[in-house]
Amino acid sequence: MAISRVFIILFILIFLARINTHAQLGNIKGTAVDMNTRKGVEFATATLLSAKDSSMIKSVFTDTSGFFQLTNVQDGIYILLISSMEYHKQYQGPLQISSAQRVIELNEVPMLINQRILKGIEVVGKVPLFRNKPNGTIEVNVANTILATSTSAIEILSKSPNVNVTEEGVSVRGKGEAIIYLNGRRITTEQLSSISSSQIRRIEIIPNPSSKYDAEGKSVINVITVTNAEEGYKGSFKQIFTTSDFSSPSANTNIDASYKKNKLSLTGSYGLLLGNTREILNTTRSRLKSVDHFSSILMTDWNRKYDNFSNYSLGGQYDLDEKSYLSAEYSGSYNDLGGSTKSENAITSTLMKGLFRSDIANDNVVNNNSINLNYNRDIDSLGSSLFIGGQYAGYVSKTDDDINENNLVNGQKSFNVLNNKAGYRIRLANAQTDYSKAFNLNNRLEFGAKYSFASNKFYSDFFTVKDGNDFVLDETRSGDFKYQENIPAAYLNFNGQMSQKVSYGIGVRTEWTSYKLETEADQGLEEIKDNYLNFFPSAFIAVKMSDQLQFRMSYASRITRPRYQALNPAGMYQDAYTSIEGNPYLKPEKTNSFELGASFEKYNLTAGYSDTKDAITGAAIQGEAENTYVLKPLNLSKLSSRFVSLSIPFNLNWLTSMNTVDLTYNKYMTGDFPYGLMTSRPQFHFYSSNSFNINNLFKIQVLARYTGDKYDGIFYRHNQVLATLGVEMDFFNKALKLNLLANDIFRKDKPAGYYEIGESYIEFARKNNNKYYRITLAYSFGRLKKITYTNKSTGRAENSRAQ
């Protein structure tokens, strides 16, 4: 923490030593803002006119946030004209540049949509898949790209630059685990999965989040949904069919609609997924150097059936006046998962030779529901605002699996009939308030507070049949788990500008965590409780050398708390000799990260370093019973990460291409765990997204990704290759869209690797349902004039840990 203190003190000194520069020429700057949506108006023209004769002095275009700056303005009196084809003209002035005032910072310039002009204009442009913003954030466009054919937001993230989606969760390359936000408010990973891709406009990948964001996770991914700006009604219907030679087909149906009349806005959506998917995991475990010469060759085959995977939402907003609104949203999902899990485990040792087969008839139902209430008020035209919101969410899961074991040990057959009834009930409540005070266009103070409560109750009852009689409870395999957590938090953040070329931000967030954990099994009742206080500083500075060249530097402190189920020691059955358990003694990760970046024209270079204490990972550990293994999360003493990344975009009349190349170096330090150490090596990663416009008749989209071999000191991961090809066509004046997609064409996107722990050498290879063919039909209908529903999810700050 000594380095972080020095870094923060340095920025405080810079802030306090801020000086005003004097120049012979002046500057005029501001932001053009849509007065309905409050979003920046991009590519508008800011023209400086002489107040004497209205002659043009100079002009510039606004950037994607609506910001403009007219530099090197001589002394005089001027009129400023903001114009765009989509909006009415706006004039500002008279504006006087003199020795008394060299810099004029305008308030937001409100722009009113010109409805008559919009009816006769069709704007056609090429949409790049992603772009790099000066602060290091990557903005990924979804609408009208190959990502729009995805069935869920999780699938979109799996194909996004610098994002990894694995069975452990979502992470950002070079940073680590990400927390998910929807329109600026935290949501769960499961709720993200239920959002239709047709509702998503873009995704922001934020590697350096400010103190305003929850300290949980090492990075932030913010999903921005489509905002309609017209009054009336509008909707869309999307039907997706997916087939493959590895799994039975599936069908996904999504419909969403929105309506506005006067001050009332309504929006709703429903999605239904039916069909099947499949996954195979091959695992080899061996202790060939031990006395027993143990060897296990395990194959697990999951055939999952989506009996009813539904998601739904209904939201409304009422505008109290032009500056404030009340909004509410109810959302949820109902997931009925059936199918089967088959496993076959061949075990040999000096004492035995056995073949253990199990067949599980899966029956799992998960029901999640949440409600949000929000109040928002815009205080002034500079952007000052007040937000107050709250959320209540409930998660209920019930599992009733019938298990049949067919074993052959040293030539002797045996049959067992088992049943596992398990479930959990999670309750979350959150309240939050945020206040933002804008002193002028470039200086803003933000502060707020949040309270989060979480309660998790879990049970697992394991039954066996003895002598052909009824099921009998097996207390050695059964157990209960309770967890309760309270986290009050507060933050303070300031963003400012020292001069025309130097901007900065500094902030701190504090969170006090108290928790109580209870486990009850055949060994009795155990209680663990603790509390701790953490401070999470963050800071950045950006220097604009010219319109083409900019440098930046940032620091952030973060925490990653264990998911609730990762703390649960009650065992979950996988096969006769493999179980999954949590670790009630798991500690949270604490990370300090630094980053340097440079942007030149459209190119972006980033390098960073992070240091994580008590890094959370997992492994298959030898169990207490003979020949058993337990899949369990653990803490390692430290993880050091370094990365460097380069983004290279280019455009032609018929091609839009976005490319990233990066190197990542990770090194674990094991502490007390007897992992077999290996030499760490840099990991190479390449990502390319390309869109070909064929005579404006149709588009061909190609996405390619290569992830090289990974050596992080403990784990080895084999390289993976993803190649996706899509063809998109429009019909009926773009009301109907058809997309054909071939994913993972070469079937090379398969996780595989190995590691050593204790005397055990463990190797795995996973085969997913990634190679598939998909047809997507999307139809849009209706017409809106203005809708401003933008409900924000205040809580769910710990919801991602509910998974």
Side-chain angles (χ1 to χ4, degrees), residues 402-434:
D402 292 322
I403 306 167
N404 290 283
E405 294 182 344
N406 183 356
N407 304 325
L408 178 64
V409 182
N410 296 329
Q412 300 294 319
K413 292 185 178 181
S414 64
F415 302 92
N416 298 313
V417 179
L418 312 170
N419 177 264
N420 183 212
K421 290 181 171 61
Y424 62 79
R425 181 183 294 270
I426 298 176
R427 293 287 181 263
L428 304 174
N430 305 273
Q432 177 177 339
T433 181
D434 299 293

PDB file of all heavy atoms in Angstrom, residues 402-434:
ATOM      1  N   ASP A 402     -31.898 -37.669  -9.517  1.00  0.00           N
ATOM      2  CA  ASP A 402     -31.842 -39.115  -9.302  1.00  0.00           C
ATOM      3  C   ASP A 402     -30.552 -39.655  -9.903  1.00  0.00           C
ATOM      4  O   ASP A 402     -30.220 -39.368 -11.058  1.00  0.00           O
ATOM      5  CB  ASP A 402     -33.046 -39.809  -9.948  1.00  0.00           C
ATOM      6  CG  ASP A 402     -34.355 -39.453  -9.254  1.00  0.00           C
ATOM      7  OD1 ASP A 402     -34.341 -39.330  -8.013  1.00  0.00           O
ATOM      8  OD2 ASP A 402     -35.369 -39.280  -9.945  1.00  0.00           O
ATOM      9  N   ILE A 403     -29.822 -40.454  -9.107  1.00  0.00           N
ATOM     10  CA  ILE A 403     -28.490 -40.925  -9.499  1.00  0.00           C
ATOM     11  C   ILE A 403     -28.469 -42.447  -9.478  1.00  0.00           C
ATOM     12  O   ILE A 403     -28.853 -43.078  -8.483  1.00  0.00           O
ATOM     13  CB  ILE A 403     -27.415 -40.371  -8.538  1.00  0.00           C
ATOM     14  CG1 ILE A 403     -27.518 -38.846  -8.447  1.00  0.00           C
ATOM     15  CG2 ILE A 403     -26.025 -40.800  -8.981  1.00  0.00           C
ATOM     16  CD1 ILE A 403     -26.709 -38.254  -7.309  1.00  0.00           C
ATOM     17  N   ASN A 404     -28.005 -43.035 -10.570  1.00  0.00           N
ATOM     18  CA  ASN A 404     -27.819 -44.480 -10.655  1.00  0.00           C
ATOM     19  C   ASN A 404     -26.346 -44.775 -10.900  1.00  0.00           C
ATOM     20  O   ASN A 404     -25.760 -44.291 -11.872  1.00  0.00           O
ATOM     21  CB  ASN A 404     -28.652 -45.070 -11.789  1.00  0.00           C
ATOM     22  CG  ASN A 404     -30.136 -45.038 -11.487  1.00  0.00           C
ATOM     23  OD1 ASN A 404     -30.650 -45.848 -10.725  1.00  0.00           O
ATOM     24  ND2 ASN A 404     -30.835 -44.081 -12.084  1.00  0.00           N
ATOM     25  N   GLU A 405     -25.743 -45.569  -9.999  1.00  0.00           N
ATOM     26  CA  GLU A 405     -24.338 -45.948 -10.121  1.00  0.00           C
ATOM     27  C   GLU A 405     -24.228 -47.413 -10.524  1.00  0.00           C
ATOM     28  O   GLU A 405     -24.935 -48.280  -9.990  1.00  0.00           O
ATOM     29  CB  GLU A 405     -23.588 -45.721  -8.804  1.00  0.00           C
ATOM     30  CG  GLU A 405     -23.479 -44.258  -8.409  1.00  0.00           C
ATOM     31  CD  GLU A 405     -22.684 -44.062  -7.131  1.00  0.00           C
ATOM     32  OE1 GLU A 405     -22.491 -45.073  -6.396  1.00  0.00           O
ATOM     33  OE2 GLU A 405     -22.253 -42.931  -6.871  1.00  0.00           O
ATOM     34  N   ASN A 406     -23.322 -47.655 -11.465  1.00  0.00           N
ATOM     35  CA  ASN A 406     -23.053 -49.012 -11.945  1.00  0.00           C
ATOM     36  C   ASN A 406     -21.538 -49.208 -11.897  1.00  0.00           C
ATOM     37  O   ASN A 406     -20.812 -48.683 -12.738  1.00  0.00           O
ATOM     38  CB  ASN A 406     -23.583 -49.180 -13.369  1.00  0.00           C
ATOM     39  CG  ASN A 406     -23.403 -50.595 -13.904  1.00  0.00           C
ATOM     40  OD1 ASN A 406     -22.805 -51.454 -13.245  1.00  0.00           O
ATOM     41  ND2 ASN A 406     -23.905 -50.823 -15.111  1.00  0.00           N
ATOM     42  N   ASN A 407     -21.060 -49.954 -10.903  1.00  0.00           N
ATOM     43  CA  ASN A 407     -19.634 -50.047 -10.637  1.00  0.00           C
ATOM     44  C   ASN A 407     -19.116 -51.470 -10.842  1.00  0.00           C
ATOM     45  O   ASN A 407     -19.828 -52.452 -10.594  1.00  0.00           O
ATOM     46  CB  ASN A 407     -19.325 -49.614  -9.194  1.00  0.00           C
ATOM     47  CG  ASN A 407     -19.850 -48.220  -8.901  1.00  0.00           C
ATOM     48  OD1 ASN A 407     -19.852 -47.350  -9.780  1.00  0.00           O
ATOM     49  ND2 ASN A 407     -20.294 -48.002  -7.673  1.00  0.00           N
ATOM     50  N   LEU A 408     -17.868 -51.542 -11.286  1.00  0.00           N
ATOM     51  CA  LEU A 408     -17.173 -52.819 -11.456  1.00  0.00           C
ATOM     52  C   LEU A 408     -15.811 -52.677 -10.801  1.00  0.00           C
ATOM     53  O   LEU A 408     -14.942 -51.947 -11.301  1.00  0.00           O
ATOM     54  CB  LEU A 408     -17.029 -53.163 -12.938  1.00  0.00           C
ATOM     55  CG  LEU A 408     -16.266 -54.455 -13.268  1.00  0.00           C
ATOM     56  CD1 LEU A 408     -17.022 -55.676 -12.717  1.00  0.00           C
ATOM     57  CD2 LEU A 408     -16.055 -54.583 -14.769  1.00  0.00           C
ATOM     58  N   VAL A 409     -15.597 -53.371  -9.649  1.00  0.00           N
ATOM     59  CA  VAL A 409     -14.366 -53.246  -8.876  1.00  0.00           C
ATOM     60  C   VAL A 409     -13.751 -54.631  -8.709  1.00  0.00           C
ATOM     61  O   VAL A 409     -14.372 -55.527  -8.103  1.00  0.00           O
ATOM     62  CB  VAL A 409     -14.625 -52.611  -7.497  1.00  0.00           C
ATOM     63  CG1 VAL A 409     -13.313 -52.450  -6.734  1.00  0.00           C
ATOM     64  CG2 VAL A 409     -15.323 -51.281  -7.648  1.00  0.00           C
ATOM     65  N   ASN A 410     -12.543 -54.792  -9.259  1.00  0.00           N
ATOM     66  CA  ASN A 410     -11.832 -56.075  -9.174  1.00  0.00           C
ATOM     67  C   ASN A 410     -12.722 -57.245  -9.586  1.00  0.00           C
ATOM     68  O   ASN A 410     -12.738 -58.307  -8.955  1.00  0.00           O
ATOM     69  CB  ASN A 410     -11.289 -56.299  -7.758  1.00  0.00           C
ATOM     70  CG  ASN A 410     -10.252 -55.263  -7.371  1.00  0.00           C
ATOM     71  OD1 ASN A 410      -9.524 -54.758  -8.227  1.00  0.00           O
ATOM     72  ND2 ASN A 410     -10.186 -54.933  -6.089  1.00  0.00           N
ATOM     73  N   GLY A 411     -13.505 -57.034 -10.657  1.00  0.00           N
ATOM     74  CA  GLY A 411     -14.365 -58.079 -11.202  1.00  0.00           C
ATOM     75  C   GLY A 411     -15.708 -58.215 -10.532  1.00  0.00           C
ATOM     76  O   GLY A 411     -16.555 -58.990 -10.992  1.00  0.00           O
ATOM     77  N   GLN A 412     -15.977 -57.443  -9.455  1.00  0.00           N
ATOM     78  CA  GLN A 412     -17.237 -57.516  -8.739  1.00  0.00           C
ATOM     79  C   GLN A 412     -18.134 -56.332  -9.121  1.00  0.00           C
ATOM     80  O   GLN A 412     -17.715 -55.178  -9.055  1.00  0.00           O
ATOM     81  CB  GLN A 412     -16.984 -57.506  -7.230  1.00  0.00           C
ATOM     82  CG  GLN A 412     -16.139 -58.666  -6.736  1.00  0.00           C
ATOM     83  CD  GLN A 412     -16.867 -59.999  -6.897  1.00  0.00           C
ATOM     84  OE1 GLN A 412     -18.080 -60.109  -6.649  1.00  0.00           O
ATOM     85  NE2 GLN A 412     -16.122 -61.028  -7.309  1.00  0.00           N
ATOM     86  N   LYS A 413     -19.396 -56.642  -9.516  1.00  0.00           N
ATOM     87  CA  LYS A 413     -20.338 -55.601  -9.895  1.00  0.00           C
ATOM     88  C   LYS A 413     -21.147 -55.146  -8.681  1.00  0.00           C
ATOM     89  O   LYS A 413     -21.438 -55.943  -7.778  1.00  0.00           O
ATOM     90  CB  LYS A 413     -21.291 -56.111 -10.978  1.00  0.00           C
ATOM     91  CG  LYS A 413     -20.647 -56.374 -12.319  1.00  0.00           C
ATOM     92  CD  LYS A 413     -21.689 -56.769 -13.356  1.00  0.00           C
ATOM     93  CE  LYS A 413     -21.051 -56.979 -14.727  1.00  0.00           C
ATOM     94  NZ  LYS A 413     -22.072 -57.342 -15.750  1.00  0.00           N
ATOM     95  N   SER A 414     -21.538 -53.853  -8.710  1.00  0.00           N
ATOM     96  CA  SER A 414     -22.417 -53.314  -7.678  1.00  0.00           C
ATOM     97  C   SER A 414     -23.270 -52.210  -8.285  1.00  0.00           C
ATOM     98  O   SER A 414     -22.848 -51.544  -9.235  1.00  0.00           O
ATOM     99  CB  SER A 414     -21.607 -52.772  -6.491  1.00  0.00           C
ATOM    100  OG  SER A 414     -20.805 -51.677  -6.891  1.00  0.00           O
ATOM    101  N   PHE A 415     -24.474 -52.051  -7.713  1.00  0.00           N
ATOM    102  CA  PHE A 415     -25.407 -51.041  -8.206  1.00  0.00           C
ATOM    103  C   PHE A 415     -25.901 -50.221  -7.012  1.00  0.00           C
ATOM    104  O   PHE A 415     -26.240 -50.784  -5.963  1.00  0.00           O
ATOM    105  CB  PHE A 415     -26.592 -51.686  -8.924  1.00  0.00           C
ATOM    106  CG  PHE A 415     -26.210 -52.544 -10.090  1.00  0.00           C
ATOM    107  CD1 PHE A 415     -25.983 -53.907  -9.915  1.00  0.00           C
ATOM    108  CD2 PHE A 415     -26.062 -51.995 -11.359  1.00  0.00           C
ATOM    109  CE1 PHE A 415     -25.626 -54.700 -10.999  1.00  0.00           C
ATOM    110  CE2 PHE A 415     -25.703 -52.782 -12.438  1.00  0.00           C
ATOM    111  CZ  PHE A 415     -25.476 -54.135 -12.259  1.00  0.00           C
ATOM    112  N   ASN A 416     -25.941 -48.924  -7.185  1.00  0.00           N
ATOM    113  CA  ASN A 416     -26.426 -48.035  -6.140  1.00  0.00           C
ATOM    114  C   ASN A 416     -27.453 -47.068  -6.720  1.00  0.00           C
ATOM    115  O   ASN A 416     -27.287 -46.578  -7.846  1.00  0.00           O
ATOM    116  CB  ASN A 416     -25.283 -47.233  -5.530  1.00  0.00           C
ATOM    117  CG  ASN A 416     -24.241 -48.112  -4.872  1.00  0.00           C
ATOM    118  OD1 ASN A 416     -24.573 -49.025  -4.118  1.00  0.00           O
ATOM    119  ND2 ASN A 416     -22.966 -47.839  -5.149  1.00  0.00           N
ATOM    120  N   VAL A 417     -28.496 -46.791  -5.947  1.00  0.00           N
ATOM    121  CA  VAL A 417     -29.506 -45.801  -6.315  1.00  0.00           C
ATOM    122  C   VAL A 417     -29.449 -44.684  -5.274  1.00  0.00           C
ATOM    123  O   VAL A 417     -29.584 -44.941  -4.073  1.00  0.00           O
ATOM    124  CB  VAL A 417     -30.913 -46.417  -6.372  1.00  0.00           C
ATOM    125  CG1 VAL A 417     -31.941 -45.352  -6.730  1.00  0.00           C
ATOM    126  CG2 VAL A 417     -30.955 -47.561  -7.384  1.00  0.00           C
ATOM    127  N   LEU A 418     -29.245 -43.460  -5.765  1.00  0.00           N
ATOM    128  CA  LEU A 418     -29.077 -42.312  -4.880  1.00  0.00           C
ATOM    129  C   LEU A 418     -30.029 -41.192  -5.294  1.00  0.00           C
ATOM    130  O   LEU A 418     -30.558 -41.189  -6.404  1.00  0.00           O
ATOM    131  CB  LEU A 418     -27.638 -41.797  -4.941  1.00  0.00           C
ATOM    132  CG  LEU A 418     -26.512 -42.823  -4.814  1.00  0.00           C
ATOM    133  CD1 LEU A 418     -25.178 -42.175  -5.143  1.00  0.00           C
ATOM    134  CD2 LEU A 418     -26.490 -43.416  -3.419  1.00  0.00           C
ATOM    135  N   ASN A 419     -30.213 -40.247  -4.396  1.00  0.00           N
ATOM    136  CA  ASN A 419     -30.997 -39.056  -4.696  1.00  0.00           C
ATOM    137  C   ASN A 419     -30.399 -37.864  -3.956  1.00  0.00           C
ATOM    138  O   ASN A 419     -30.042 -37.981  -2.786  1.00  0.00           O
ATOM    139  CB  ASN A 419     -32.464 -39.237  -4.294  1.00  0.00           C
ATOM    140  CG  ASN A 419     -33.289 -37.979  -4.544  1.00  0.00           C
ATOM    141  OD1 ASN A 419     -33.499 -37.182  -3.645  1.00  0.00           O
ATOM    142  ND2 ASN A 419     -33.749 -37.813  -5.770  1.00  0.00           N
ATOM    143  N   ASN A 420     -30.281 -36.752  -4.662  1.00  0.00           N
ATOM    144  CA  ASN A 420     -29.746 -35.529  -4.061  1.00  0.00           C
ATOM    145  C   ASN A 420     -30.770 -34.408  -4.200  1.00  0.00           C
ATOM    146  O   ASN A 420     -31.094 -33.990  -5.312  1.00  0.00           O
ATOM    147  CB  ASN A 420     -28.435 -35.146  -4.732  1.00  0.00           C
ATOM    148  CG  ASN A 420     -27.775 -33.930  -4.114  1.00  0.00           C
ATOM    149  OD1 ASN A 420     -27.114 -33.162  -4.776  1.00  0.00           O
ATOM    150  ND2 ASN A 420     -27.965 -33.732  -2.812  1.00  0.00           N
ATOM    151  N   LYS A 421     -31.279 -33.967  -3.068  1.00  0.00           N
ATOM    152  CA  LYS A 421     -32.181 -32.814  -3.016  1.00  0.00           C
ATOM    153  C   LYS A 421     -31.413 -31.647  -2.419  1.00  0.00           C
ATOM    154  O   LYS A 421     -30.942 -31.725  -1.277  1.00  0.00           O
ATOM    155  CB  LYS A 421     -33.435 -33.123  -2.197  1.00  0.00           C
ATOM    156  CG  LYS A 421     -34.396 -34.098  -2.850  1.00  0.00           C
ATOM    157  CD  LYS A 421     -35.610 -34.334  -1.984  1.00  0.00           C
ATOM    158  CE  LYS A 421     -36.681 -35.126  -2.720  1.00  0.00           C
ATOM    159  NZ  LYS A 421     -36.199 -36.468  -3.133  1.00  0.00           N
ATOM    160  N   ALA A 422     -31.298 -30.578  -3.189  1.00  0.00           N
ATOM    161  CA  ALA A 422     -30.519 -29.424  -2.734  1.00  0.00           C
ATOM    162  C   ALA A 422     -31.197 -28.147  -3.198  1.00  0.00           C
ATOM    163  O   ALA A 422     -32.028 -28.158  -4.114  1.00  0.00           O
ATOM    164  CB  ALA A 422     -29.085 -29.494  -3.267  1.00  0.00           C
ATOM    165  N   GLY A 423     -30.828 -27.053  -2.583  1.00  0.00           N
ATOM    166  CA  GLY A 423     -31.395 -25.774  -2.989  1.00  0.00           C
ATOM    167  C   GLY A 423     -30.815 -24.629  -2.190  1.00  0.00           C
ATOM    168  O   GLY A 423     -30.125 -24.834  -1.185  1.00  0.00           O
ATOM    169  N   TYR A 424     -31.062 -23.431  -2.671  1.00  0.00           N
ATOM    170  CA  TYR A 424     -30.642 -22.248  -1.940  1.00  0.00           C
ATOM    171  C   TYR A 424     -31.681 -21.153  -2.108  1.00  0.00           C
ATOM    172  O   TYR A 424     -32.456 -21.128  -3.054  1.00  0.00           O
ATOM    173  CB  TYR A 424     -29.264 -21.757  -2.395  1.00  0.00           C
ATOM    174  CG  TYR A 424     -29.174 -21.336  -3.840  1.00  0.00           C
ATOM    175  CD1 TYR A 424     -29.640 -20.093  -4.264  1.00  0.00           C
ATOM    176  CD2 TYR A 424     -28.593 -22.178  -4.787  1.00  0.00           C
ATOM    177  CE1 TYR A 424     -29.543 -19.699  -5.578  1.00  0.00           C
ATOM    178  CE2 TYR A 424     -28.490 -21.793  -6.112  1.00  0.00           C
ATOM    179  CZ  TYR A 424     -28.961 -20.557  -6.506  1.00  0.00           C
ATOM    180  OH  TYR A 424     -28.871 -20.174  -7.814  1.00  0.00           O
ATOM    181  N   ARG A 425     -31.665 -20.243  -1.147  1.00  0.00           N
ATOM    182  CA  ARG A 425     -32.540 -19.082  -1.167  1.00  0.00           C
ATOM    183  C   ARG A 425     -31.686 -17.859  -0.796  1.00  0.00           C
ATOM    184  O   ARG A 425     -31.175 -17.768   0.311  1.00  0.00           O
ATOM    185  CB  ARG A 425     -33.699 -19.248  -0.191  1.00  0.00           C
ATOM    186  CG  ARG A 425     -34.680 -18.068  -0.174  1.00  0.00           C
ATOM    187  CD  ARG A 425     -35.753 -18.293   0.878  1.00  0.00           C
ATOM    188  NE  ARG A 425     -36.586 -19.431   0.517  1.00  0.00           N
ATOM    189  CZ  ARG A 425     -37.689 -19.351  -0.222  1.00  0.00           C
ATOM    190  NH1 ARG A 425     -38.083 -18.169  -0.675  1.00  0.00           N
ATOM    191  NH2 ARG A 425     -38.391 -20.427  -0.492  1.00  0.00           N
ATOM    192  N   ILE A 426     -31.523 -16.960  -1.751  1.00  0.00           N
ATOM    193  CA  ILE A 426     -30.704 -15.768  -1.554  1.00  0.00           C
ATOM    194  C   ILE A 426     -31.601 -14.537  -1.583  1.00  0.00           C
ATOM    195  O   ILE A 426     -32.439 -14.393  -2.476  1.00  0.00           O
ATOM    196  CB  ILE A 426     -29.615 -15.660  -2.633  1.00  0.00           C
ATOM    197  CG1 ILE A 426     -28.665 -16.865  -2.567  1.00  0.00           C
ATOM    198  CG2 ILE A 426     -28.817 -14.371  -2.479  1.00  0.00           C
ATOM    199  CD1 ILE A 426     -27.629 -16.891  -3.661  1.00  0.00           C
ATOM    200  N   ARG A 427     -31.404 -13.664  -0.602  1.00  0.00           N
ATOM    201  CA  ARG A 427     -32.149 -12.414  -0.538  1.00  0.00           C
ATOM    202  C   ARG A 427     -31.149 -11.257  -0.511  1.00  0.00           C
ATOM    203  O   ARG A 427     -30.210 -11.249   0.294  1.00  0.00           O
ATOM    204  CB  ARG A 427     -33.038 -12.373   0.708  1.00  0.00           C
ATOM    205  CG  ARG A 427     -34.171 -13.388   0.670  1.00  0.00           C
ATOM    206  CD  ARG A 427     -35.232 -12.955  -0.322  1.00  0.00           C
ATOM    207  NE  ARG A 427     -36.357 -13.882  -0.383  1.00  0.00           N
ATOM    208  CZ  ARG A 427     -36.493 -14.832  -1.268  1.00  0.00           C
ATOM    209  NH1 ARG A 427     -35.554 -14.998  -2.180  1.00  0.00           N
ATOM    210  NH2 ARG A 427     -37.545 -15.612  -1.288  1.00  0.00           N
ATOM    211  N   LEU A 428     -31.371 -10.282  -1.382  1.00  0.00           N
ATOM    212  CA  LEU A 428     -30.503  -9.113  -1.470  1.00  0.00           C
ATOM    213  C   LEU A 428     -31.330  -7.843  -1.371  1.00  0.00           C
ATOM    214  O   LEU A 428     -32.385  -7.736  -1.997  1.00  0.00           O
ATOM    215  CB  LEU A 428     -29.728  -9.106  -2.792  1.00  0.00           C
ATOM    216  CG  LEU A 428     -28.881 -10.337  -3.120  1.00  0.00           C
ATOM    217  CD1 LEU A 428     -28.307 -10.203  -4.517  1.00  0.00           C
ATOM    218  CD2 LEU A 428     -27.781 -10.514  -2.116  1.00  0.00           C
ATOM    219  N   ALA A 429     -30.838  -6.886  -0.611  1.00  0.00           N
ATOM    220  CA  ALA A 429     -31.492  -5.576  -0.508  1.00  0.00           C
ATOM    221  C   ALA A 429     -30.413  -4.506  -0.596  1.00  0.00           C
ATOM    222  O   ALA A 429     -29.343  -4.634   0.023  1.00  0.00           O
ATOM    223  CB  ALA A 429     -32.273  -5.456   0.790  1.00  0.00           C
ATOM    224  N   ASN A 430     -30.686  -3.464  -1.370  1.00  0.00           N
ATOM    225  CA  ASN A 430     -29.708  -2.409  -1.581  1.00  0.00           C
ATOM    226  C   ASN A 430     -30.395  -1.048  -1.604  1.00  0.00           C
ATOM    227  O   ASN A 430     -31.511  -0.917  -2.110  1.00  0.00           O
ATOM    228  CB  ASN A 430     -28.980  -2.603  -2.919  1.00  0.00           C
ATOM    229  CG  ASN A 430     -28.353  -3.971  -3.043  1.00  0.00           C
ATOM    230  OD1 ASN A 430     -27.227  -4.168  -2.612  1.00  0.00           O
ATOM    231  ND2 ASN A 430     -29.081  -4.924  -3.631  1.00  0.00           N
ATOM    232  N   ALA A 431     -29.706  -0.051  -1.097  1.00  0.00           N
ATOM    233  CA  ALA A 431     -30.152   1.341  -1.184  1.00  0.00           C
ATOM    234  C   ALA A 431     -28.945   2.200  -1.524  1.00  0.00           C
ATOM    235  O   ALA A 431     -27.846   1.965  -1.014  1.00  0.00           O
ATOM    236  CB  ALA A 431     -30.783   1.797   0.124  1.00  0.00           C
ATOM    237  N   GLN A 432     -29.160   3.181  -2.383  1.00  0.00           N
ATOM    238  CA  GLN A 432     -28.030   3.957  -2.898  1.00  0.00           C
ATOM    239  C   GLN A 432     -28.449   5.380  -3.209  1.00  0.00           C
ATOM    240  O   GLN A 432     -29.571   5.639  -3.647  1.00  0.00           O
ATOM    241  CB  GLN A 432     -27.505   3.285  -4.171  1.00  0.00           C
ATOM    242  CG  GLN A 432     -26.379   4.019  -4.862  1.00  0.00           C
ATOM    243  CD  GLN A 432     -25.879   3.255  -6.073  1.00  0.00           C
ATOM    244  OE1 GLN A 432     -26.076   2.052  -6.187  1.00  0.00           O
ATOM    245  NE2 GLN A 432     -25.244   3.962  -6.991  1.00  0.00           N
ATOM    246  N   THR A 433     -27.530   6.319  -2.979  1.00  0.00           N
ATOM    247  CA  THR A 433     -27.741   7.705  -3.392  1.00  0.00           C
ATOM    248  C   THR A 433     -26.441   8.243  -3.976  1.00  0.00           C
ATOM    249  O   THR A 433     -25.358   7.952  -3.470  1.00  0.00           O
ATOM    250  CB  THR A 433     -28.209   8.582  -2.211  1.00  0.00           C
ATOM    251  OG1 THR A 433     -28.424   9.919  -2.670  1.00  0.00           O
ATOM    252  CG2 THR A 433     -27.191   8.605  -1.094  1.00  0.00           C
ATOM    253  N   ASP A 434     -26.563   9.007  -5.059  1.00  0.00           N
ATOM    254  CA  ASP A 434     -25.412   9.607  -5.733  1.00  0.00           C
ATOM    255  C   ASP A 434     -25.712  11.079  -5.991  1.00  0.00           C
ATOM    256  O   ASP A 434     -26.803  11.427  -6.453  1.00  0.00           O
ATOM    257  CB  ASP A 434     -25.134   8.914  -7.073  1.00  0.00           C
ATOM    258  CG  ASP A 434     -24.800   7.446  -6.905  1.00  0.00           C
ATOM    259  OD1 ASP A 434     -23.745   7.154  -6.330  1.00  0.00           O
ATOM    260  OD2 ASP A 434     -25.598   6.598  -7.347  1.00  0.00           O
TER     261      ASP A 434
END
